[in-house]
Amino acid sequence: MSTEQTSINPIESLADLRREFGEHGGVNMSVEASTTFTVMTPGTMPEMFQGRKAAPEGCYLYGRHFNPTVYNLSAQLAALEGCEAAYCTASGMAAISAALFHICNSGDHIVASNTVYGGSYALMHDFFPVKANITTSFVDMTNLSAVEAAITDNTKVIYAESVANPTLRIVDIPALAKLAHSRGIQLVIDNTFSPLLLRPADLGADVVIHSMTKFINGASDIIAGVVCGTQELVQGLMDLHTGPLMILGPTMDPSIAAKISLRIPHLALRMVEHARRAQLFADKLAAFGVNVAYPGLSGHPDHELLRRLRCADYGYGGVLTLDMGTEEKAHALMDLLQNKYHFGFMAVSLGYFDTLMSSPSTSTSSEMTEEDMTCAGIGQGLVRMSVGYTGTFEQRWTQLESALREMGAID
Ligand SMILES: *Cc1c(COP(=O)(O)O)cnc(C)c1O
C-alpha cells in the first residue's frame, strides 16, 4: 500500500451496474412476491436440486433460496463493496452468524477484536462455544503481534469491525489481511460503521458484512444485513445441505429488499453530510476541551491510518463519542440533549437522519463482562453519538453547547 488511497469512489461501481426496471417499465424494479417459481419442463427441477441450474441465470427455486428482488439488491451491495457476489439477510446478526458458521466447523477457532458489537460478542463469546464448539480469542486488533500470538492451528477467521463499536478505533485491514492469508485464514470485516468510507475487500478482506439496519437503510425502520464476498461464498451460504442461510433460514423479505434499494441512491449524499457534521462537532468540542473521540481529529490514534485507507469523499464517518467521566454525567447529558434542548434522541442504533445517543456501557456493549469492557476501553461515562443531518448545523451546535454549559462541562 502506498500512502494515499487510490481506489475509486464506490458509488462509481454502483452507477455502472445495469438498472433493473419494473415489470411494466417502471423506473423502480418490481417486487417479486412469489415464494415459488414455475419450471417449463419437468427435467429442469432435478437439475436445479443437483445445483446444475441456479440463480442468477434466471432459474429460481424457492424464496428462501434466492429471490430476484433480493438478488438485485444483493448485486448492488456487491458493487458497492467491490465484491464478486453478495446476498442479503434478515438482519446484520444473521449475516454475521451465517458467514462465521459457513467458514467455521466444530472445533475451529476465531480470533476476534475485543471491541465488537455486543451481539457479535455474545455470538462468539457465549453462543458458539456452547452450541457449536467454536471458540474465540478476543484481542486488541490494533496490536498485530497480539493477533498473531492468538492464532492457533484451528484458527479459520480473523474477525473485526472496520471502525470498532464504540471505541472508534480503526483496524489496519491490509496488515490483517496479509497476516491472515499467510496463515490460510480468512479476514471477515463488519463494515457497518463505514459504508463507502472504507471498502474492506479492496484492502484485502475476504468477507465484508453490513448491518444494513444502520447507515445503508438510513431511516431506522428496517432490520437487514448482507454478506459480501466471492461467488463461491454466496453459493456456500445457500448450499441445500450445509448452507447456513438456506438451512437456518434468516431470509430477507423481497418487499424489504425493494425498499432498501430506494435508499441506496442517496446513501452517498447522506454519508457525506453525516461525516461533515460529525467533523464540525468534533472540532468544536475539541476546541472547548471536551473529551471527544472522532477519527477525523488529528489527535485520534488512528487518524493517519484511516486517512490512508479511506475514500476521502466521505470524511471520517458519522459517529463520535464523548467521555463524560461517569455514568451519571453521561445520562444527565443525554437527558438534557433529548428532553430540554431537542438535540437528538436517546436510542441505540446509528445511521438515522436525527442524532441518536446512547451510553454503550449500559446498552449496546452491556453483553460484555466488566473486565472485557475495561480492557477494550469502554468507559462508564461514554456517550456514543450517531450524528444526524436534520436542522441546521448552527442550531444543533447551540443545543449541544447549551447542554454542555449547563452540565459545567464547558465554561
Ligand atoms: C447493529 C450492528 C450489528 C447487528 O445488526 P442487526 O441488523 O441489528 O442484526 C452488527 N454489527 C454492528 C457493528 C452493528 O452496529
Side-chain angles (χ1 to χ4, degrees), residues 91-93 96 117 161 190 192-193 211 213-214 223-224:
S91 70
M93 283 312 299
I96 294 165
Y117 175 72
E161 293 171 3
D190 178 340
T192 298
F193 272 52
S211 163
T213 311
K214 317 294 169 56
I223 301 274

Side-chain angles (χ1 to χ4, degrees), residues 19-67:
R19 275 295 296 280
E20 186 79 22
F21 295 101
E23 197 181 350
H24 306 286
V27 292
N28 296 314
M29 66 175 169
S30 299
V31 181
E32 178 50 76
S34 303
T35 56
T36 189
F37 301 84
T38 52
V39 293
M40 301 315 284
T41 59
T44 308
M45 207 170 282
E47 278 192 298
M48 288 166 77
F49 274 91
Q50 287 154 16
R52 285 189 283 125
K53 262 200 157 59
E57 295 100 66
C59 277
Y60 291 94
L61 185 64
Y62 182 60
R64 198 179 71 247
H65 190 230
F66 287 111
N67 167 286

Side-chain angles (χ1 to χ4, degrees), residues 154-394:
N154 296 329
T155 305
K156 293 289 167 8
V157 169
I158 294 179
Y159 181 89
E161 293 171 3
S162 44
V163 180
N165 175 29
T167 60
L168 308 183
R169 291 298 306 262
I170 312 296
V171 295
D172 189 341
I173 298 172
L176 285 175
K178 197 168 156 212
L179 172 60
H181 297 158
S182 76
R183 305 286 294 267
I185 296 168
Q186 296 203 43
L187 178 61
V188 178
I189 296 287
D190 178 340
N191 201 29
T192 298
F193 272 52
S194 44
L196 300 175
L197 174 60
L198 284 168
R199 245 203 345 185
D202 283 354
L203 302 170
D206 301 283
V207 180
V208 182
I209 289 165
H210 280 279
S211 163
M212 298 203 288
T213 311
K214 317 294 169 56
F215 286 106
I216 291 182
N217 182 61
S220 290
D221 62 335
I222 287 173
I223 301 274
V226 66
V227 184
C228 310
T230 60
Q231 196 69 49
E232 192 187 351
L233 168 78
V234 171
Q235 292 299 333
L237 291 170
M238 283 304 178
D239 187 276
L240 299 185
H241 302 275
T242 57
L245 288 184
M246 184 60 190
I247 301 301
L248 301 177
T251 310
M252 174 179 278
D253 188 280
S255 65
I256 294 293
K259 278 189 181 172
I260 295 177
S261 80
L262 299 182
R263 285 127 191 230
I264 300 282
H266 49 69
L267 174 63
L269 298 177
R270 291 187 278 114
M271 293 309 292
V272 165
E273 191 58 10
H274 280 299
R276 190 183 74 84
R277 300 250 186 149
Q279 182 78 54
L280 286 172
F281 280 131
D283 287 341
K284 276 189 175 280
L285 288 166
F288 273 102
V290 176
N291 194 350
V292 55
Y294 180 64
L297 293 171
S298 58
H300 186 280
D302 304 317
H303 177 68
E304 276 309 310
L305 175 64
L306 183 54
R307 197 181 62 80
R308 181 161 60 84
L309 302 183
R310 73 186 172 138
C311 177
D313 293 356
Y314 305 100
Y316 289 88
V319 184
L320 57 81
T321 61
L322 302 184
D323 196 340
M324 298 303 291
T326 65
E327 188 181 316
E328 290 68 34
K329 284 187 180 166
H331 288 184
L333 177 67
M334 292 192 292
D335 192 11
L336 281 176
L337 285 172
Q338 172 176 282
N339 299 323
K340 183 166 180 186
Y341 293 105
H342 308 156
F343 169 80
F345 298 109
M346 267 185 276
V348 297
S349 199
L350 46 129
Y352 190 49
F353 39 77
D354 277 316
T355 294
L356 299 181
M357 307 172 288
S358 61
S359 152
S361 67
T362 50
S363 60
T364 47
S365 296
S366 61
E367 290 91 340
M368 295 172 74
T369 64
E370 212 155 292
E371 191 190 342
D372 283 354
M373 249 193 277
T374 311
C375 246
I378 303 170
Q380 300 289 314
L382 211 61
V383 175
R384 184 185 78 186
M385 280 188 192
S386 167
V387 177
Y389 48 78
T390 58
T392 67
F393 176 75
E394 290 68 27

Side-chain angles (χ1 to χ4, degrees), residues 132-165:
N133 189 32
I134 297 166
T135 55
T136 300
S137 303
F138 293 91
V139 301
D140 175 1
M141 274 291 149
T142 64
N143 179 350
L144 277 183
S145 41
V147 178
E148 191 162 13
I151 293 172
T152 72
D153 290 345
N154 296 329
T155 305
K156 293 289 167 8
V157 169
I158 294 179
Y159 181 89
E161 293 171 3
S162 44
V163 180
N165 175 29

